[in-house]
C-alpha cells in the first residue's frame, strides 16, 4: 500500500497551489485548509483516517507537533 500523505495549508492560495502541484506530479495528497487550532483538529482527523505523514508550516506545524 502506498503511503498516505496529508497537507494542512493555513490559507486558500496555498491549498490551491499544493493541490495543483500534486496533481501535476501525479502525487496523491489529501490537502485541507486550516490554521493553528483548526489545523491541529484536521491533523488529528487525518491521523485517525490512516495518513502516514502530515505536512504543514509555521505556527500550524508547531501546534501539530
Amino acid at each position: 500500500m502506498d503511503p498516505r500523505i496529508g497537507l494542512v495549508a493555513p490559507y486558500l492560495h496555498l491549498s490551491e497551489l499544493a493541490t495543483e502541484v500534486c496533481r501535476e506530479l501525479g502525487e496523491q495528497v489529501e490537502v485541507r485548509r486550516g490554521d493553528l487550532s483548526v489545523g491541529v483538529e484536521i491533523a488529528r482527523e487525518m491521523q485517525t483516517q490512516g495518513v502516514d505523514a502530515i505536512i504543514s508550516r509555521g505556527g500550524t506545524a508547531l501546534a501539530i507537533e
Side-chain angles (χ1 to χ4, degrees), residues 17-47:
L17 181 62
T19 299
E20 180 182 333
V21 169
C22 291
R23 188 177 322 122
E24 288 176 5
L25 295 175
E27 297 293 332
Q28 292 195 356
V29 177
E30 180 180 348
V31 178
R32 306 255 318 263
R33 189 172 69 241
D35 196 15
L36 300 173
S37 63
V38 174
V40 171
E41 290 304 315
I42 291 169
R44 285 186 181 134
E45 289 173 18
M46 288 179 170
Q47 185 177 29

Side-chain angles (χ1 to χ4, degrees), residues 39-62:
V40 171
E41 290 304 315
I42 291 169
R44 285 186 181 134
E45 289 173 18
M46 288 179 170
Q47 185 177 29
T48 61
Q49 294 169 355
V51 169
D52 296 314
I54 298 170
I55 300 167
S56 192
R57 49 154 266 171
T60 304
L62 291 174

